[in-house]
């Protein structure tokens, strides 16, 4: 059975004291509760170790938002997958559209990052998604298939089984313009069929596929009610406990 996951992606927001307060607040809000999904927070590198030490990481997984495409050495300013893992983080968000667009991360670079993340015991949350022009041109399925094939299809089935996918249509990120639940479901079902053709039905069925893009307390329940939508990757609405908790609770019966 695949897992349901609600993951926050804080992006480049919060100072360390602010981030710590947010993480502790979420930890407090989850005390005595057993959500029907795994909860993850993706934080800046600078916050990982302090946050992992301050919260119950059996209840809230900690994610980095990136890692280097090199193992170690003379790469000034980079943070390796091993360093991320040593903080207590268990996940790493890779291939976010902001990193693809602003930092020129190619499919090849991402393939390397995924390999290093896995080698260091991290679970990659691998992001895919088309831009508006691609959706309007009707090439969105092809684009997303290409992103998956080019970075993940050389993985062994055992390694592929460790990947979480996040479908984030770029036109829905930070725009307040969420994909409809039908659009999300259509793409997620398509992705699952692509995975089944390569890795077989079982692995495809077991793969957690998150939706991301203007997900919030108001639309989360409808999105996760779809059979192929296994949770969300949430930006803006993950920056306060008040906005994030109801998204976690969208899985409550
Ligand atoms: P928003 O939820 O702010 O649209 O961001 C989505 C996202 O990019 C998560 O990775």
């Amino acid at each position: 059975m695949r897992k349901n996951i609600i993951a926050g992606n804080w992006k480049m927001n919060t100072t360390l004291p602010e981030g710590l307060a947010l993480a502790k607040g979420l930890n407090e809000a989850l005390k005595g509760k057993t959500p029907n999904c795994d909860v993850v927070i993706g934080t800046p590198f600078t916050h990982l170790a302090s946050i992992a030490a301050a919260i119950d990481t059996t209840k809230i997984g900690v994610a980095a938002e990136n890692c280097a495409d090199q193992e170690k050495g003379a790469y000034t300013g980079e943070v390796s997958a091993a360093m991320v893992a040593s903080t207590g983080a268990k996940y790493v968000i890779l291939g976010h559209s902001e990193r693809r667009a602003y930092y020129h991360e190619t499919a090849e670079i991402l393939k390397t990052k995924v390999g290093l993340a896995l080698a260091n015991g991290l679970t990659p949350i691998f992001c895919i998604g088309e831009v508006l022009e691609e959706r309007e041109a009707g090439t969105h399925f092809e684009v997303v298939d290409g992103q998956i094939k080019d970075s993940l299809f050389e993985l062994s089935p055992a390694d592929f089984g460790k990947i979480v996918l996040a479908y984030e249509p770029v036109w829905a990120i930070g725009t307040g313009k969420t994909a409809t639940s039908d659009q999300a479901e259509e793409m997620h079902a398509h992705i699952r069929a692509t995975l089944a053709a390569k890795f077989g039905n079982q692995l495809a069925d077991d793969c957690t596929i998150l939706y991301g893009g203007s997900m919030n307390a108001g639309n989360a329940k409808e999105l996760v009610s779809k059979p192929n939508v296994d949770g969300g990757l949430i930006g803006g609405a993950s920056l306060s406990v008040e906005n994030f908790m109801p998204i976690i609770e969208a899985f409550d019966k």
Side-chain angles (χ1 to χ4, degrees), residues 65-227:
E65 300 173 14
N66 180 29
C67 71
D69 63 345
Q70 302 289 337
E71 208 177 321
K72 65 188 291 191
Y75 302 98
T76 302
E78 288 295 296
V79 177
S80 71
M83 292 172 188
V84 169
S86 74
T87 66
K90 296 276 184 280
Y91 297 81
V92 58
I93 299 168
L94 291 174
H96 193 281
S97 59
E98 288 150 17
R99 297 223 49 95
R100 292 180 192 260
Y102 308 148
Y103 302 96
H104 315 295
E105 294 196 0
T106 62
E108 204 59 33
I109 290 171
L110 291 170
K111 195 196 314 185
T112 306
K113 291 189 177 194
V114 167
L116 286 164
L118 290 170
N120 285 283
L122 295 169
T123 298
I125 300 176
F126 190 79
C127 305
I128 50 191
E130 80 285 357
V131 299
L132 185 60
E133 299 76 63
E134 292 162 339
R135 170 139 309 243
E136 285 175 349
T139 57
H140 44 296
F141 294 120
E142 246 169 82
V143 167
V144 167
D145 282 349
Q147 291 169 334
I148 295 171
K149 284 180 186 157
D150 293 348
S151 296
L152 304 177
F153 267 23
E154 283 174 31
L155 291 174
S156 67
D159 275 345
F160 182 78
K162 298 172 188 156
I163 304 278
V164 171
L165 290 179
Y167 169 58
E168 300 204 307
V170 180
W171 46 270
I173 296 178
T175 57
K177 190 182 169 205
T178 183
T180 65
S181 57
D182 286 340
Q183 283 174 321
E185 172 61 18
E186 183 187 35
M187 179 59 88
H188 286 217
H190 173 84
I191 290 169
R192 220 177 285 287
T194 297
L195 301 180
K198 168 70 183 171
F199 292 107
N201 285 336
Q202 189 63 53
L203 271 181
D205 213 42
D206 288 346
C207 182
T208 295
I209 310 177
L210 310 179
Y211 167 80
S214 299
M215 194 160 167
N216 58 39
N219 58 30
K221 222 175 172 74
E222 165 72 17
L223 283 160
V224 305
S225 73
K226 295 293 180 183

